[in-house]
Amino acid sequence: GAVVSQHPSRVICKSGTSVKIECRSLDFQATTMFWYRQFPKQSLMLMATSNEGSKATYEQGVEKDKFLINHASLTLSTLTVTSAHPEDSSFYICSGEAGGPPDTQYFGPGTRLTVL
Amino acid sequence: GQNIDQPTEMTATEGAIVQINCTYQTSGFNGLFWYQQHAGEAPTFLSYNVLDGLEEKGRFSSFLSRSKGYSYLLLKELQMKDSASYLCAVRVRTAGNKLTFGGGTRVLVKP
């Protein structure tokens, strides 16, 4: 299957700081990438859909000014958590669509964010 | 929105078979995916169904009935490494082809 990488895999930061997470499709071009958040023992919740060259589409309840998404190229999308707070601590996972059909989403290894 | 239901937990014995059911209610159905997720890791793609019937891939099979809004994932010859969460996800055409995930089924394989 297609390979997606994420960096960093784990980050610990102080409350009030910003954290940037990178998502790269290594062997395919992803016009569309998705950002999810997963709390312990819960399923994946879609935060936003990132389209190359255009603004991201955010799900209801997700603050676009807090979670900044940039999809600068067909292989790179970034999520910046601004002014992070302890309640933002979570597992953040990105995925890229490898092209269809069936336009399967392939997931990155995830980033564990801990805000102190 | 979409309602996707799957059991929370299942336990099975090594070498046995386990069937994980998933029911969904949605309009604009455009495919159902099964993913495996080990604790602390990202989901990995297992199977995809868009037409009714059974898709077989080695020890894993997935079935879909669109009229019933029902799918199952069948795991045969269970191995200890199959202990993981299994996520059912539905893609909806009217929602920009986004995936909506069920809560996941945690499968514990015992010796």
Side-chain angles (χ1 to χ4, degrees), chain A residues 75-116:
Chain A
T75 59
L76 173 64
S77 176
T78 60
L79 167 68
T80 302
V81 183
T82 63
S83 187
H85 289 103
E87 57 266 30
D88 298 324
S89 298
S90 186
F91 192 47
Y92 290 86
I93 309 175
C94 72
S95 71
E97 273 189 344
D103 280 335
T104 302
Q105 285 188 32
Y106 291 92
F107 288 83
T111 297
R112 174 78 56 197
L113 171 63
T114 303
V115 185
L116 302 176

Side-chain angles (χ1 to χ4, degrees), chain A residues 58-76:
Chain A
Y58 290 81
E59 295 300 298
Q60 195 170 9
V62 178
E63 300 174 57
K64 62 180 181 181
D65 294 331
K66 180 170 182 61
F67 298 100
L68 301 178
I69 291 172
N70 183 277
H71 195 150
S73 74
L74 287 172
T75 59
L76 173 64

Side-chain angles (χ1 to χ4, degrees), chain A:
Chain A
V3 181
V4 176
S5 71
Q6 263 182 260
H7 178 79
S9 58
R10 197 178 289 266
V11 58
I12 301 172
C13 69
K14 292 182 179 179
S15 188
T17 60
S18 294
V19 174
K20 180 189 275 191
I21 303 170
E22 288 188 352
C23 176
R24 292 181 186 273
S25 55
L26 298 185
D27 54 0
F28 68 100
Q29 293 184 327
T31 307
T32 304
M33 287 183 168
F34 302 87
W35 286 95
Y36 295 84
R37 182 164 50 182
Q38 186 175 34
F39 292 106
K41 296 192 177 180
Q42 293 187 24
S43 193
L44 279 73
M45 295 298 295
L46 180 65
M47 298 174 67
T49 303
S50 167
N51 294 296
E52 186 265 339
S54 64
K55 291 183 180 179
T57 304
Y58 290 81
E59 295 300 298
Q60 195 170 9
V62 178
E63 300 174 57
K64 62 180 181 181
D65 294 331
K66 180 170 182 61
F67 298 100
L68 301 178
I69 291 172
N70 183 277
H71 195 150
S73 74
L74 287 172
T75 59
L76 173 64
S77 176
T78 60
L79 167 68
T80 302
V81 183
T82 63
S83 187
H85 289 103
E87 57 266 30
D88 298 324
S89 298
S90 186
F91 192 47
Y92 290 86
I93 309 175
C94 72
S95 71
E97 273 189 344
D103 280 335
T104 302
Q105 285 188 32
Y106 291 92
F107 288 83
T111 297
R112 174 78 56 197
L113 171 63
T114 303
V115 185
L116 302 176

